[in-house]
Amino acid sequence: MKALVVHGGCDEGFLPDEEKRARLSGVRDAFQEGLLILKEMDSALDAVEHVIKNLEDNPHFDAGVIGSFNNMIGEIEMDAAIMDSNESAGGVIRIRNIAHPISVARKVMEEMPHLLLCGKGAEIFARISGFREVSPEEQHGNVDQREIDKLPEEFRNFILEYTERLKEHKLFSTVGAVAIDSKGYIVAGTSTGGIAKAFPGRVGDSAIIGAGTFATFYGGSSATGIGEGIIRVGVTRKVVEMVENGTPIQEACSRVVDICSRRGFPCGVIALDKDGNAGISHNGHFMPTLSIKID
């Protein structure tokens, strides 16, 4: 038995029909690539990595240097994590100028004694590991010195205004995948470019184990939405722990999203249990997903 489930982010804001079609098509293309790898190589780890790499290269998703949102000073800071059912995990936080953060996260999992690398450390590790760098010109933003210059002035008022600006952000096209291969090996991965106009250094849920990404022998899960809320709830860990305690996978996903809804923040989650059954739930207007179980 093998299984795969993929998501392309949960949006609560309005999306034109052509953008919805583009995201559905992007998820379909990545899903087909992952499914081929799962069938031919029988590797959940390779399938998840390649699905997410495909989506990181697609400008319609908030992941990778092409599609990620700029922070408030025009930089792109990306997070990614991957975890397997042996509870091995790796992640990168606030990495810049690297084409595929999910592959760096896998390298951290496989070769480093650390679980997470952040900022400059993540970039140094990526460079010495041979990952392709992209120049700032290939990204779609540059540092806005005007934003930096005004920070010290009336900082308290700035934070209040900034908080109000964040409420207008309604697009969360983070990407993720979960796979299980015939050996029963489960892998979950997530990659994101954060939220639009985020304060520099802001960290969301995607690379936080148990929040945006989680896997054990009982199942794996990937989340999307408002990272601050997902971290507080511990969305993906909660889903997998419910499954471990006997809750069916779809019910677990739905119940956790209901918790997020009651707390007032958008959230989407995908998951697989150890039998290859998929769960998908969200409280937004649109979340492109695909899943399959092959007996």
Short mmCIF file of all heavy atoms in Angstrom, two decimals, residues 22 26-27 29-30 33 48-68 78 98-103 132-134 138 140 173-175 191-193:
data_model
loop_
_atom_site.label_atom_id
_atom_site.label_comp_id
_atom_site.label_asym_id
_atom_site.label_seq_id
_atom_site.Cartn_x
_atom_site.Cartn_y
_atom_site.Cartn_z
N ALA A 22 -5.09 28.01 -11.96
CA ALA A 22 -3.63 27.89 -11.99
C ALA A 22 -3.12 27.10 -10.78
O ALA A 22 -2.20 26.29 -10.91
CB ALA A 22 -3.00 29.28 -12.02
N GLY A 26 -1.28 23.56 -10.77
CA GLY A 26 0.02 23.41 -10.14
C GLY A 26 0.06 22.26 -9.16
O GLY A 26 1.04 21.48 -9.13
N VAL A 27 -0.97 22.12 -8.37
CA VAL A 27 -1.05 21.00 -7.42
C VAL A 27 -1.13 19.69 -8.18
O VAL A 27 -0.48 18.69 -7.81
CB VAL A 27 -2.26 21.17 -6.48
CG1 VAL A 27 -2.55 19.87 -5.72
CG2 VAL A 27 -1.99 22.29 -5.48
N ASP A 29 0.06 18.98 -11.19
CA ASP A 29 1.36 18.66 -11.79
C ASP A 29 2.33 18.11 -10.74
O ASP A 29 3.03 17.12 -10.96
CB ASP A 29 1.97 19.90 -12.44
CG ASP A 29 1.23 20.31 -13.70
OD1 ASP A 29 0.44 19.50 -14.22
OD2 ASP A 29 1.45 21.45 -14.17
N ALA A 30 2.38 18.77 -9.58
CA ALA A 30 3.28 18.33 -8.51
C ALA A 30 2.86 16.96 -7.99
O ALA A 30 3.70 16.10 -7.71
CB ALA A 30 3.29 19.36 -7.38
N GLU A 33 3.93 14.21 -10.36
CA GLU A 33 5.36 13.95 -10.24
C GLU A 33 5.65 13.11 -9.00
O GLU A 33 6.42 12.15 -9.03
CB GLU A 33 6.13 15.27 -10.17
CG GLU A 33 7.63 15.08 -10.05
CD GLU A 33 8.40 16.38 -10.05
OE1 GLU A 33 7.90 17.38 -10.61
OE2 GLU A 33 9.52 16.41 -9.49
N VAL A 48 7.76 13.25 -1.35
CA VAL A 48 7.40 14.50 -0.67
C VAL A 48 8.35 15.62 -1.08
O VAL A 48 7.92 16.75 -1.40
CB VAL A 48 7.40 14.31 0.86
CG1 VAL A 48 7.38 15.66 1.59
CG2 VAL A 48 6.21 13.48 1.29
N GLU A 49 9.65 15.33 -1.11
CA GLU A 49 10.60 16.38 -1.50
C GLU A 49 10.33 16.87 -2.91
O GLU A 49 10.32 18.10 -3.16
CB GLU A 49 12.04 15.86 -1.41
CG GLU A 49 13.06 16.92 -1.79
CD GLU A 49 14.48 16.40 -1.91
OE1 GLU A 49 14.68 15.16 -1.84
OE2 GLU A 49 15.40 17.23 -2.09
N HIS A 50 10.10 15.97 -3.85
CA HIS A 50 9.93 16.39 -5.24
C HIS A 50 8.59 17.11 -5.45
O HIS A 50 8.52 18.05 -6.26
CB HIS A 50 10.06 15.19 -6.18
CG HIS A 50 11.48 14.84 -6.47
ND1 HIS A 50 12.24 14.10 -5.59
CD2 HIS A 50 12.29 15.14 -7.51
CE1 HIS A 50 13.46 13.95 -6.08
NE2 HIS A 50 13.52 14.57 -7.24
N VAL A 51 7.56 16.70 -4.76
CA VAL A 51 6.29 17.44 -4.83
C VAL A 51 6.51 18.88 -4.42
O VAL A 51 6.09 19.83 -5.09
CB VAL A 51 5.21 16.79 -3.94
CG1 VAL A 51 4.04 17.75 -3.72
CG2 VAL A 51 4.71 15.50 -4.57
N ILE A 52 7.17 19.06 -3.28
CA ILE A 52 7.33 20.41 -2.74
C ILE A 52 8.31 21.22 -3.58
O ILE A 52 8.10 22.43 -3.79
CB ILE A 52 7.73 20.35 -1.25
CG1 ILE A 52 6.57 19.73 -0.45
CG2 ILE A 52 8.07 21.74 -0.72
CD1 ILE A 52 6.86 19.52 1.01
N LYS A 53 9.37 20.61 -4.09
CA LYS A 53 10.28 21.32 -4.99
C LYS A 53 9.51 21.83 -6.22
O LYS A 53 9.73 22.97 -6.67
CB LYS A 53 11.42 20.41 -5.44
CG LYS A 53 12.50 20.20 -4.41
CD LYS A 53 13.56 19.22 -4.90
CE LYS A 53 14.33 19.74 -6.10
NZ LYS A 53 15.40 18.79 -6.51
N ASN A 54 8.65 21.01 -6.76
CA ASN A 54 7.85 21.41 -7.91
C ASN A 54 7.01 22.64 -7.57
O ASN A 54 6.95 23.61 -8.34
CB ASN A 54 6.96 20.23 -8.33
CG ASN A 54 6.14 20.53 -9.57
OD1 ASN A 54 5.35 21.45 -9.61
ND2 ASN A 54 6.31 19.69 -10.61
N LEU A 55 6.38 22.64 -6.41
CA LEU A 55 5.54 23.76 -6.00
C LEU A 55 6.37 24.99 -5.65
O LEU A 55 5.93 26.13 -5.85
CB LEU A 55 4.66 23.35 -4.82
CG LEU A 55 3.63 22.26 -5.14
CD1 LEU A 55 2.98 21.73 -3.86
CD2 LEU A 55 2.56 22.80 -6.10
N GLU A 56 7.59 24.78 -5.13
CA GLU A 56 8.48 25.92 -4.85
C GLU A 56 8.89 26.64 -6.13
O GLU A 56 9.24 27.82 -6.10
CB GLU A 56 9.73 25.45 -4.10
CG GLU A 56 9.49 25.07 -2.65
CD GLU A 56 10.71 24.48 -1.98
OE1 GLU A 56 11.59 23.94 -2.69
OE2 GLU A 56 10.79 24.55 -0.74
N ASP A 57 8.85 25.93 -7.25
CA ASP A 57 9.21 26.52 -8.55
C ASP A 57 8.02 27.15 -9.27
O ASP A 57 8.17 27.67 -10.37
CB ASP A 57 9.82 25.45 -9.46
CG ASP A 57 11.24 25.08 -9.06
OD1 ASP A 57 11.91 25.90 -8.40
OD2 ASP A 57 11.67 23.95 -9.39
N ASN A 58 6.85 27.11 -8.65
CA ASN A 58 5.64 27.62 -9.28
C ASN A 58 5.27 28.97 -8.67
O ASN A 58 5.03 29.07 -7.47
CB ASN A 58 4.50 26.61 -9.05
CG ASN A 58 3.26 26.95 -9.85
OD1 ASN A 58 2.88 28.11 -10.00
ND2 ASN A 58 2.60 25.93 -10.38
N PRO A 59 5.21 30.03 -9.46
CA PRO A 59 4.96 31.37 -8.92
C PRO A 59 3.57 31.57 -8.33
O PRO A 59 3.32 32.60 -7.69
CB PRO A 59 5.16 32.29 -10.14
CG PRO A 59 4.90 31.41 -11.32
CD PRO A 59 5.40 30.06 -10.93
N HIS A 60 2.68 30.61 -8.51
CA HIS A 60 1.33 30.75 -7.97
C HIS A 60 1.24 30.33 -6.51
O HIS A 60 0.16 30.44 -5.90
CB HIS A 60 0.34 29.93 -8.80
CG HIS A 60 0.15 30.46 -10.19
ND1 HIS A 60 -0.63 31.56 -10.47
CD2 HIS A 60 0.69 30.05 -11.37
CE1 HIS A 60 -0.60 31.81 -11.76
NE2 HIS A 60 0.19 30.91 -12.34
N PHE A 61 2.34 29.86 -5.93
CA PHE A 61 2.33 29.41 -4.54
C PHE A 61 3.33 30.20 -3.70
O PHE A 61 4.36 30.65 -4.19
CB PHE A 61 2.64 27.91 -4.47
CG PHE A 61 1.63 27.07 -5.18
CD1 PHE A 61 1.90 26.60 -6.47
CD2 PHE A 61 0.42 26.77 -4.60
CE1 PHE A 61 0.96 25.84 -7.15
CE2 PHE A 61 -0.53 26.01 -5.28
CZ PHE A 61 -0.26 25.55 -6.56
N ASP A 62 3.00 30.33 -2.43
CA ASP A 62 3.83 31.08 -1.49
C ASP A 62 4.93 30.16 -0.96
O ASP A 62 4.91 29.71 0.18
CB ASP A 62 2.96 31.62 -0.35
CG ASP A 62 3.78 32.34 0.71
OD1 ASP A 62 4.86 32.84 0.39
OD2 ASP A 62 3.31 32.40 1.87
N ALA A 63 5.90 29.89 -1.82
CA ALA A 63 7.01 29.01 -1.47
C ALA A 63 8.11 29.20 -2.50
O ALA A 63 7.82 29.48 -3.67
CB ALA A 63 6.57 27.55 -1.44
N GLY A 64 9.37 29.04 -2.09
CA GLY A 64 10.47 29.24 -3.01
C GLY A 64 10.66 30.71 -3.35
O GLY A 64 9.85 31.57 -2.99
N VAL A 65 11.75 31.03 -4.04
CA VAL A 65 12.07 32.42 -4.30
C VAL A 65 11.18 33.06 -5.35
O VAL A 65 11.11 34.28 -5.46
CB VAL A 65 13.55 32.58 -4.73
CG1 VAL A 65 14.48 32.19 -3.61
CG2 VAL A 65 13.85 31.74 -5.97
N ILE A 66 10.48 32.24 -6.13
CA ILE A 66 9.65 32.80 -7.21
C ILE A 66 8.30 33.28 -6.70
O ILE A 66 7.82 34.35 -7.07
CB ILE A 66 9.45 31.75 -8.32
CG1 ILE A 66 10.80 31.37 -8.95
CG2 ILE A 66 8.52 32.28 -9.41
CD1 ILE A 66 10.72 30.25 -9.95
N GLY A 67 7.67 32.50 -5.82
CA GLY A 67 6.32 32.83 -5.41
C GLY A 67 6.16 33.41 -4.03
O GLY A 67 5.07 33.87 -3.68
N SER A 68 7.22 33.42 -3.22
CA SER A 68 7.09 33.86 -1.83
C SER A 68 6.75 35.34 -1.72
O SER A 68 7.15 36.15 -2.55
CB SER A 68 8.40 33.59 -1.08
OG SER A 68 8.62 32.21 -0.91
N MET A 78 12.29 32.43 3.78
CA MET A 78 11.52 31.21 3.58
C MET A 78 11.76 30.21 4.71
O MET A 78 12.85 30.16 5.29
CB MET A 78 11.89 30.58 2.24
CG MET A 78 11.63 31.48 1.05
SD MET A 78 12.40 30.87 -0.49
CE MET A 78 14.14 31.13 -0.15
N ILE A 98 17.97 30.79 -1.74
CA ILE A 98 18.15 29.37 -2.03
C ILE A 98 16.90 28.88 -2.76
O ILE A 98 15.78 29.12 -2.31
CB ILE A 98 18.38 28.55 -0.75
CG1 ILE A 98 19.65 29.01 -0.04
CG2 ILE A 98 18.43 27.07 -1.06
CD1 ILE A 98 20.94 28.78 -0.81
N ALA A 99 17.10 28.19 -3.88
CA ALA A 99 15.97 27.84 -4.74
C ALA A 99 14.99 26.89 -4.07
O ALA A 99 13.78 27.04 -4.23
CB ALA A 99 16.50 27.23 -6.04
N HIS A 100 15.49 25.89 -3.32
CA HIS A 100 14.61 24.85 -2.79
C HIS A 100 14.85 24.63 -1.29
O HIS A 100 15.60 23.74 -0.89
CB HIS A 100 14.81 23.54 -3.55
CG HIS A 100 14.41 23.62 -4.99
ND1 HIS A 100 15.29 23.38 -6.01
CD2 HIS A 100 13.23 23.95 -5.56
CE1 HIS A 100 14.66 23.55 -7.17
NE2 HIS A 100 13.42 23.89 -6.91
N PRO A 101 14.19 25.41 -0.45
CA PRO A 101 14.35 25.25 1.00
C PRO A 101 14.00 23.85 1.50
O PRO A 101 14.62 23.38 2.46
CB PRO A 101 13.38 26.30 1.57
CG PRO A 101 13.32 27.36 0.51
CD PRO A 101 13.39 26.61 -0.79
N ILE A 102 13.05 23.16 0.86
CA ILE A 102 12.66 21.84 1.34
C ILE A 102 13.83 20.85 1.21
O ILE A 102 14.00 19.97 2.07
CB ILE A 102 11.42 21.30 0.60
CG1 ILE A 102 10.87 20.05 1.30
CG2 ILE A 102 11.72 21.03 -0.86
CD1 ILE A 102 10.35 20.29 2.69
N SER A 103 14.65 21.01 0.18
CA SER A 103 15.79 20.12 0.01
C SER A 103 16.88 20.40 1.04
O SER A 103 17.56 19.48 1.51
CB SER A 103 16.36 20.26 -1.41
OG SER A 103 15.41 19.83 -2.37
N ARG A 132 21.90 25.32 -5.00
CA ARG A 132 21.94 26.46 -5.93
C ARG A 132 21.44 27.72 -5.24
O ARG A 132 20.36 27.75 -4.67
CB ARG A 132 21.08 26.17 -7.16
CG ARG A 132 21.14 27.29 -8.21
CD ARG A 132 20.42 26.90 -9.47
NE ARG A 132 18.98 26.90 -9.32
CZ ARG A 132 18.23 27.99 -9.49
NH1 ARG A 132 18.78 29.16 -9.79
NH2 ARG A 132 16.92 27.92 -9.37
N GLU A 133 22.26 28.76 -5.36
CA GLU A 133 21.86 30.06 -4.86
C GLU A 133 21.21 30.86 -5.98
O GLU A 133 21.53 30.67 -7.16
CB GLU A 133 23.06 30.84 -4.32
CG GLU A 133 23.64 30.29 -3.04
CD GLU A 133 24.73 31.19 -2.50
OE1 GLU A 133 24.40 32.26 -1.96
OE2 GLU A 133 25.91 30.83 -2.64
N VAL A 134 20.31 31.74 -5.62
CA VAL A 134 19.74 32.68 -6.58
C VAL A 134 20.08 34.08 -6.11
O VAL A 134 20.13 34.35 -4.91
CB VAL A 134 18.22 32.50 -6.71
CG1 VAL A 134 17.89 31.18 -7.33
CG2 VAL A 134 17.52 32.65 -5.36
N GLU A 138 16.89 37.84 -8.83
CA GLU A 138 15.95 36.81 -9.27
C GLU A 138 14.72 36.78 -8.38
O GLU A 138 13.70 36.19 -8.75
CB GLU A 138 16.63 35.44 -9.27
CG GLU A 138 17.67 35.27 -10.34
CD GLU A 138 18.26 33.88 -10.32
OE1 GLU A 138 17.53 32.92 -10.63
OE2 GLU A 138 19.46 33.75 -9.99
N HIS A 140 11.66 38.83 -6.31
CA HIS A 140 10.82 39.92 -6.79
C HIS A 140 10.74 41.06 -5.79
O HIS A 140 9.71 41.70 -5.62
CB HIS A 140 9.43 39.42 -7.15
CG HIS A 140 8.79 38.58 -6.08
ND1 HIS A 140 8.20 39.10 -4.96
CD2 HIS A 140 8.68 37.24 -5.98
CE1 HIS A 140 7.73 38.11 -4.21
NE2 HIS A 140 8.01 36.97 -4.81
N SER A 173 -0.85 30.62 0.62
CA SER A 173 -0.61 29.53 -0.34
C SER A 173 0.67 28.77 -0.05
O SER A 173 1.42 28.39 -0.95
CB SER A 173 -0.61 30.09 -1.77
OG SER A 173 0.20 31.24 -1.87
N THR A 174 0.93 28.56 1.24
CA THR A 174 1.95 27.61 1.68
C THR A 174 1.69 26.26 1.03
O THR A 174 0.55 25.92 0.73
CB THR A 174 1.87 27.48 3.22
OG1 THR A 174 2.32 28.71 3.80
CG2 THR A 174 2.70 26.34 3.75
N VAL A 175 2.74 25.45 0.84
CA VAL A 175 2.56 24.15 0.20
C VAL A 175 3.01 23.02 1.12
O VAL A 175 3.87 23.21 1.98
CB VAL A 175 3.33 24.08 -1.14
CG1 VAL A 175 2.86 25.19 -2.07
CG2 VAL A 175 4.84 24.15 -0.93
N SER A 191 6.50 23.87 3.07
CA SER A 191 7.39 24.96 2.66
C SER A 191 6.59 26.23 2.48
O SER A 191 5.45 26.19 1.97
CB SER A 191 8.11 24.60 1.35
OG SER A 191 9.02 25.61 0.96
N THR A 192 7.17 27.37 2.87
CA THR A 192 6.43 28.63 2.80
C THR A 192 7.36 29.82 2.62
O THR A 192 8.54 29.76 2.96
CB THR A 192 5.59 28.85 4.08
OG1 THR A 192 4.73 29.98 3.91
CG2 THR A 192 6.49 29.10 5.28
N GLY A 193 6.78 30.89 2.09
CA GLY A 193 7.45 32.18 2.04
C GLY A 193 6.85 33.16 3.01
O GLY A 193 7.08 34.37 2.93
#
